[in-house]
């Protein structure tokens, strides 16, 4: 008589399939919707009527973009401005070369004197390092230094200063 336990059969337990993403399901269904339904969804999402002259295919694409932008975040302000300038017909090579030149590379040090004290900020792969703390933006660093809201690139001299009004310089 054999008292040893028998090995379990060589079958893998079935794991449940991950739940499908509702956004992906909604996006996948957009191309099959009629124009009236796309317009209803647009109004529900944006709280304004859909542009009346759009064809069904284009409205479905715009709706898909809007849904994704709300779920994952839209374009940054800088990207929007760049696209606006390109749409106006500005030279793409000049615009893109300028944007590349303005990008700060990791290791760059920015120095600014404020309130009689010298402040050094180091550009890193993930943000801006000042006094042992990493910040996501230069504006956050400028706010930490001054205690007031500043445009970070302007504070560190990376942008032109605005014209001084009769009331004094604006931060």
């Amino acid at each position: 008589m054999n008292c040893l336990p028998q090995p379990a059969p060589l079958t893998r337990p079935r794991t449940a399939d991950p739940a499908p993403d509702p956004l992906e399901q909604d996006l996948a269904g957009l191309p099959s919707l009629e124009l009236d339904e796309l317009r209803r969804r647009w109004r529900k999402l944006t709280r304004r009527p859909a542009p009346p002259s759009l064809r069904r295919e284009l409205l479905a694409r715009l709706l898909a973009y809007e849904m994704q932008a709300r779920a994952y975040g839209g374009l940054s302000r800088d990207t929007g401005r760049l696209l606006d300038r390109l749409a106006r017909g500005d030279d793409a090579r000049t615009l893109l070369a300028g944007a590349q030149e303005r990008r700060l590379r990791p290791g760059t040090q920015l120095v600014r004197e404020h309130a009689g004290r010298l402040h050094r900020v180091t550009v890193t792969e993930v943000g801006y390092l000042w006094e042992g703390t990493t910040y996501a933006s230069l504006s956050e660093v400028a706010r930490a230094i001054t205690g007031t809201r500043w445009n970070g690139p302007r504070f560190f001299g990376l942008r032109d200063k605005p014209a001084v009004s009769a009331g004094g310089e604006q931060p």
Side-chain angles (χ1 to χ4, degrees):
M1 199 154 140
N2 190 350
C3 295
L4 296 174
Q6 297 296 315
L10 296 175
T11 59
R12 292 186 178 152
R14 283 185 67 131
T15 58
D17 290 331
D21 182 11
L23 178 61
E24 286 184 24
Q25 289 179 327
D26 286 346
L27 293 173
L30 289 178
S32 64
L33 297 178
E34 295 297 324
L35 183 58
D36 288 340
E37 178 60 23
L38 290 169
R39 286 183 174 147
R40 276 192 289 278
R41 287 190 180 205
W42 179 269
R43 180 179 278 287
K44 183 178 178 182
L45 184 66
T46 67
R47 300 188 193 280
R48 61 182 194 270
S53 61
L54 292 182
R55 296 185 333 255
R56 186 179 64 79
E57 296 82 13
L58 186 54
L59 183 56
R61 289 179 184 210
L62 287 173
L63 187 56
Y65 170 80
E66 191 67 29
M67 291 166 65
Q68 292 174 80
R70 288 172 188 243
Y72 305 120
L75 297 175
S76 70
R77 187 174 13 182
D78 288 340
T79 301
R81 287 179 184 159
L82 176 65
L83 291 173
D84 287 341
R85 291 183 68 187
L86 289 169
R88 283 195 309 260
D90 291 1
D91 182 52
R93 288 183 192 199
T94 303
L95 287 175
L96 296 175
Q100 187 69 17
E101 289 171 10
R102 287 189 298 272
R103 187 170 296 133
L104 298 173
R105 289 180 173 75
T108 301
Q109 288 203 347
L110 305 171
V111 180
R112 164 74 194 258
E113 183 181 353
H114 178 75
R117 187 166 164 231
L118 198 62
H119 299 276
R120 285 187 194 278
V121 175
T122 303
V123 180
T124 68
E125 292 285 342
V126 295
Y128 303 91
L129 182 65
W130 175 70
E131 293 191 343
T133 302
T134 301
Y135 296 85
S137 72
L138 282 175
S139 296
E140 289 179 15
V141 177
R143 190 173 310 124
I145 291 171
T146 66
T148 60
R149 293 182 60 90
W150 268 88
N151 175 298
R154 184 173 292 138
F155 179 80
F156 286 99
L158 300 174
R159 291 206 180 136
D160 294 333
K161 293 181 181 176
V164 176
S165 65
E169 183 180 344
Q170 296 291 320

